[in-house]
Amino acid sequence: MTIATLKALERVKDRYEAGSADTKLALLRSLARADLRPARAVFRLHELLCFLRAYPDDAHVLAQVERMLAAFAGRTDLRRARAALADTGIAGTAIRYRFFWSTLHWLARRWPQHLSMDRSEPEVADKLAAALPLLLSWAEACALKQLDPPAFEMLDRLRARGEGDAAFFARRITAMPGNGFTREAFHDAIEPGYELKPGPDTPARTRARHLAAPLAYQRGPLRRERPDLRQELARSYRALRKVSAREGGQLIELARGAMVTRSRDLDAFAYGNARDVRLADDGGGLAFALIGTIPERRQLIPATCGYLILRNGVPIGYGEAFVIGRAATMTYNIFESFRGAEAAYTLARTLAMVRHAYGAECFSFDQYQLGIGNEEAVASGAWWFYYKLGFRPLAAAARRLLRTELVRMRADPRHRSSAATLRALAESHLLFDYDNARTPSLPPLSEVGLRVGDGLAKRAGAEREQLLAQCSRVAMHLTGLRTQRGFSAGERLAWQRWSPVVVFALTGVSRWSLAERRALVRVIRAKGGRDEAEFLARFAAHSKLERALFGKR
């Protein structure tokens, strides 16, 4: 009877006609007292509750859902199935994953007593044994080299009483000389696995909600129809506000937790800047947390924005936008439990958000998003999802294959592209331009780095440090900058990274007017400033910079 009740709720969860709320409420109350078997049924109930938290009919349904989620970790069926429900992100269950360095560092700092290392893989143990001496005093390192003890046995001897092995390991890496990039490379080359044991506030889908996000009840049918992309791009969001550093930190933690509980990672969240977070209210309970990155992790030219998609404060998806000029390269992911709702509409609103917040009008999806190295995208036919919204392939080979597939579909409406065909189509970027009079194109970002590389190779080869230091002085002379006094640490870093670009990739800078050269300095400083939105605005306002970087477009 309980499984029948669960199935009945699954059938009505996304129906919003007269009487639906009462039906859902009765089913929810019955399931609150149920003892579900097997473990998969417990998971199905949890995901239904998360869906209804994001798309509630009314205050009564939402209140019942909140009560059930608050008590979920204490359910008898969950406690019985705890081991089988590991890695689901449900409160009260463990998460096992090969966390990258930035996530390990965060978890070890926030929940050191709940984090431990996976000791089951001999290859990881061998890598750890070779790496440990680099993290210790000279005397300890000499002893390890002489005795060659098992890595985890030595790790247990070295850490303090009550100190977790993962926390000890993370703290020793943090103390290493170098910077965040070297520590990241050191840790990620070992590829250790970890287990995050459940605690009252450890990341869990069950608790994932931003209470300050807009709330709206679902009064009518979900928007499942295919949207008119240009029409949606023309319509802006309802409101956009810069949040406080405190709320920004909360949104970054929510985003990082959404990744951890789904065994994923995203650099834009891992290196999020709490002072550069905005919340866009799109109406109807849909909102976007726009998360900028800290200066040292920013791209050289594009501005990076990670975004968490919220529905009534519940994370339902995420992605990144890499924006420069009027072009944005996007990633877009809706979490599995919400894919049957409004995925196409939400994508359209995501692109509209990026257009109005950052000025982009030409959008592209890269090959991974479409299926290269991403079997989930191949299985779901992601390529056709974007094509039907108006995106078109950039490469001629993909356009030829598309024409062949369209002929087959017209001849046989039941025809479906094979996995091999979808992978071949995904070899090309897909593009959409808001201005249908333009031919969509991508800025050749890699060409800038290659021109810099050619200049450095010609003049210095491997001995580049002295030449790179000279680039900073030459760039100052070319732009008329007399001193870097008053530059923040981020602005100095941006200047260091952009100096070789000014010297080797921006031919003709010396012939620019003084005002144009001073404007270039302001563009570079903005790249290292508090908010990359200022960088985008200054880049767009510079009449010559984009043409000098990428040629006539």
Side-chain angles (χ1 to χ4, degrees), residues 222-268:
L222 296 174
R223 288 161 288 205
R224 301 185 192 276
E225 67 280 358
R226 194 175 302 146
D228 182 315
L229 209 48
R230 286 191 174 85
Q231 181 177 314
E232 291 297 337
L233 284 169
R235 183 167 63 90
S236 185
Y237 39 71
R238 176 184 290 178
L240 180 69
R241 67 178 175 92
K242 190 80 173 274
V243 306
S244 66
R246 181 174 179 275
E247 187 178 356
Q250 292 171 347
L251 283 164
I252 290 171
E253 292 237 333
L254 182 68
R256 299 191 77 171
M259 298 294 97
V260 165
T261 56
R262 292 169 174 86
S263 300
R264 305 183 189 197
D265 222 322
L266 193 73
D267 280 354

Side-chain angles (χ1 to χ4, degrees), residues 53-97:
R53 174 188 260 172
Y55 294 89
D57 303 64
D58 57 28
H60 300 294
V61 171
L62 181 58
Q64 179 64 32
V65 165
E66 292 291 1
R67 284 192 293 270
M68 292 176 69
L69 285 172
F72 209 90
R75 288 179 64 99
T76 301
D77 46 17
L78 175 72
R79 292 199 301 269
R80 183 178 58 246
R82 196 186 306 275
L85 291 171
D87 303 328
T88 60
I90 298 176
T93 65
I95 297 169
R96 304 183 187 95
Y97 187 55

